[in-house]
Amino acid sequence: MIKEYWNQIAQNRDVRQNLSLLRQEVKDKGKLKVLSSLVKGQEEQLAGLLWSEDAKTRKNAALLMGDLGNQEFLEPVYAAYRREEQRFVKSAYLSAIGSFNYSAYLEELKEQLCLLGKMEETRENRKHLMEEMRELSALVVRAEGIKNHEFTGFDRPYDIVLLTNRNFAGLTQEELTALNPDAKSKVFGAGVRARVTNLRWMDKIRTWQELLFVVRDMGTCPMEPFKAAEVITGSGLLSLLNESHGGGEPWYFRIELKSRKTLEERSSFIRKLSGQIEKLSGRKLINTATDYEVELRLIENKEGNCNLLLKLYTLKDNRFSYRKEVTPTGIRPTAAALTAALAREYMKEGAQVLDPFCGAGTMLIERHKAVRAYTSYGVDIQEDAVRKARKNTEAAGMAAHYINRDFFQFRHDYLFDEVITDMPFQMGHVTEEEIYGLYLRFFGCIAGFLKEDGIIILYSRNRGFVRPLAARNGFSVLKEYEISKKEGTYVFVLNRIFYRR
C-alpha cells in the first residue's frame, strides 16, 4: 500500500487523503524505510506540496517530511513555516523541524518565540497561538538544554505539606516537632501542614511520603486555565524558587492535575495552562515533558476550584537511596519505615532479628534504622531477591546475613529476639488458599525461632488469618494497626501468650 499511496501522490491524485494514509502507515519503522527508498530522488516533488493551496495538504506534507527525517527537507519546511498565513498549520511545520538539525535557524526561532509572546491574544487566535509557542519553546529547550539548579535553601522558613499515611499523620507530626521544635504544625486529612524554620530534618523523618510547598498567594485558583495561570504567575512562586536555589531563571516545570475531569479534559486544561504560564511569566517558567525541576500540582477541591501546591525535584529525598534493587511484590520503603516506627517501643537495641520472607531487604534495613540491631538474618526462596537484598544492605551501610532458602527448610543455631516481615500475599497465580496454608505453617513453626520474650512484627494483608492462627499457636496480639483499609494492610505486634512484658 505504501507504494500505491506514493504513486497516487506523484500523479496528483487524492493528495491530502494519501498523505494522511501514508502517515498512518509509516508509524511502522519498516514501512517508513520503504517510503524513504521510494521518495529518494523525488524529494522536490514532496517538498513541492508545501506550496499546495490546501492548508491540510501543506500540513500533512510537512509532517511526513518530519517522519522521514531527511535533512534536505529542513530548508523548504522552514521556508513554508515563515510564509504560512494559516496559524493552525504553523505548529505542524515546527513539529517537523524538530526531526532535523535546525541549529542554523535557532536564533530566528527564538526571536519568533519572543515576538509571539508579545502578540495580543484574541479568542480566535489563542488556541493556535499557544500551540505554536509550545512547539517553538520545545525546539529551543531541546537545542539549548536545561540548566540544572541546585537547592540551597535548607535554612529558610517554609510553609509545607507532608503527605503521610492518613491514619498516622500524628506520628509524623511528633517526629517533626522533636526535630524542629519551633515549627507550627497541624494534622489534616492527608498528612501534616506546617510552617517550619528549616529543612534540615527532612532526611531524619522516614514516615512522610511526599514533601510539598505552599506558595504565598498561590493557595487556590479557579478551575479555569487562564485564570489559574494569572494566579500562579502573580504569586510568590518565582521569589521562592530564586531565593532557595542558585542559578536564576528560567525554571522548567510540569503540571499535575488531580481532578474529576476526563483524561482528554485534563490534557486540554494542562496544555492551555502551561502555555499561558509561559506567556505570562515571560518564559521565566518553561513547560517541558522531561528534565523538569518543578511540579505545579493542582488538586480539585469540593468547591470545584483547585488547591495549588509545589513540588521541587531539586530537593532530593535521600532517605531510601539504598534501594538500588526492588522486587515486584516488595513493600514500599515508607510502609516499612512506618511499620518500624509503630513497633519501635517493642524493639530491643542490639537485638538478633530474623526476616523469613525478606525480599529485597527493605524491612530489615528500616528496622535497623529505627533501632540498631546486633545481627540481622534474611531468608527468601527467590535467589534474585537475596542478591538484591545483599546489594541494598551494602548500600545502606549495614551488615546482614542473607540466605537463599525456603524458610520452612531454614534452621539456625540460636534463637532470635524478633521476627519482622512483610508476609506474602495473594497475587497472580498464588491463591488465597495457598496463602492461608503459608500462614498456617508460619505460625506452626515460628515459636521455634524465638526466645521466650521474643516478639513478632507482621505487615499483613490477611488480617483474618493472623488472630486465630496466632492464638492457636500460643501467641497474642499486643498491638494491631490499620495501615490502609482500602488495601487491607495491617501491622501486628505479637508475643507469646504466657509471657508478659
Side-chain angles (χ1 to χ4, degrees), residues 170-205:
L171 176 63
T172 304
Q173 183 188 35
E174 290 173 8
E175 293 177 307
L176 175 61
T177 301
L179 291 167
N180 190 181
D182 295 328
K184 308 296 182 185
S185 64
K186 66 176 182 179
V187 170
F188 74 109
V192 179
R193 181 162 179 161
R195 175 164 292 175
V196 296
T197 59
N198 64 76
L199 294 174
R200 296 292 178 184
W201 47 266
M202 59 177 287
D203 283 346
K204 299 180 178 70
I205 301 176

Side-chain angles (χ1 to χ4, degrees), residues 11-72:
Q11 295 166 23
N12 201 30
R13 292 165 51 196
D14 298 324
V15 174
R16 186 209 290 187
Q17 180 182 349
N18 283 305
L19 283 170
S20 181
L21 291 169
L22 271 180
R23 291 212 66 229
Q24 291 297 316
E25 290 286 330
V26 299
K27 290 177 181 178
D28 181 323
K29 289 186 178 180
K31 293 180 179 180
L32 181 61
K33 288 182 179 179
V34 172
L35 178 62
S36 183
S37 64
L38 289 171
V39 172
K40 191 172 183 179
Q42 301 183 60
E43 289 85 359
E44 288 187 9
Q45 184 162 2
L46 181 55
L49 297 177
L50 297 173
W51 291 92
S52 170
E53 293 182 0
D54 179 63
K56 290 188 177 179
T57 295
R58 299 194 299 273
K59 177 180 177 179
N60 282 328
L63 290 170
L64 187 60
M65 291 181 207
D67 293 334
L68 289 166
N70 188 334
Q71 184 65 23
E72 66 182 89

Side-chain angles (χ1 to χ4, degrees), residues 228-476:
E230 290 176 2
V231 171
I232 291 167
T233 55
S235 73
L237 174 60
L238 283 170
S239 294
L240 186 152
L241 293 173
N242 290 327
E243 290 168 10
S244 58
H245 297 78
E249 299 149 351
W251 297 92
Y252 297 90
F253 73 93
R254 72 180 294 269
I255 292 172
E256 175 75 12
L257 174 62
K258 296 183 179 294
S259 165
R260 294 183 291 272
K261 292 178 179 292
T262 65
L263 176 60
E264 184 177 350
E265 289 171 336
R266 290 200 303 273
S267 298
S268 174
F269 184 98
I270 289 170
R271 282 196 303 272
K272 292 174 183 176
L273 175 58
S274 58
Q276 194 68 1
I277 288 173
E278 282 199 33
K279 184 176 175 65
L280 293 180
S281 70
R283 284 182 52 79
K284 292 177 181 177
L285 294 163
I286 298 175
N287 181 233
T288 180
T290 59
D291 298 323
Y292 42 80
E293 299 176 303
V294 174
E295 176 181 293
L296 298 171
R297 186 170 301 180
L298 287 75
I299 306 166
E300 186 175 1
N301 58 31
K302 293 179 181 178
E303 291 75 34
N305 296 318
C306 288
N307 297 328
L308 283 160
L309 293 166
L310 170 70
K311 180 171 182 176
L312 293 178
Y313 289 92
T314 53
L315 184 59
K316 305 301 182 186
D317 178 6
N318 297 312
R319 296 173 301 160
F320 309 109
S321 58
Y322 65 82
R323 277 170 57 90
K324 309 298 182 185
E325 302 276 0
V326 297
T327 56
T329 59
I331 190 170
R332 294 187 300 272
T334 49
L338 178 60
T339 299
L342 291 171
R344 185 185 287 123
E345 65 178 292
Y346 299 97
M347 296 174 177
K348 288 182 180 179
E349 183 88 24
Q352 294 170 321
V353 183
L354 169 67
D355 184 344
F357 311 105
C358 68
T362 305
M363 190 69 90
L364 275 180
I365 293 169
E366 289 302 320
R367 190 268 172 227
H368 183 76
K369 287 184 177 293
V371 178
R372 185 172 294 275
Y374 177 64
T375 55
S376 300
Y377 276 78
V379 180
D380 202 285
I381 196 170
Q382 298 293 333
E383 182 180 0
D384 190 51
V386 168
R387 178 188 61 78
K388 291 176 177 179
R390 287 173 179 151
K391 186 172 183 178
N392 290 341
T393 303
E394 182 181 0
M398 170 186 160
H401 306 280
Y402 289 103
I403 299 161
N404 175 210
R405 191 170 303 166
D406 181 344
F407 169 65
F408 300 111
Q409 303 298 319
F410 174 65
R411 300 291 179 269
H412 201 257
D413 293 337
Y414 58 79
L415 300 177
F416 293 91
D417 297 294
E418 296 172 25
V419 169
I420 183 169
T421 196
D422 171 21
M423 290 293 286
F425 57 97
Q426 180 183 355
M427 185 179 183
H429 297 298
V430 180
T431 66
E432 186 174 358
E433 290 76 12
E434 288 173 316
I435 294 299
Y436 179 77
L438 183 142
Y439 270 77
L440 194 65
R441 295 179 71 192
F442 171 80
F443 277 108
C445 73
I446 199 63
F449 292 90
L450 276 174
K451 294 179 182 178
E452 183 177 303
D453 61 345
I455 64 165
I456 303 172
I457 302 165
L458 295 185
Y459 186 90
S460 173
R461 298 161 186 80
N462 296 94
R463 180 174 182 259
F465 297 166
V466 175
R467 283 186 177 273
L469 291 177
R472 189 188 306 176
N473 289 277
F475 290 93
S476 64

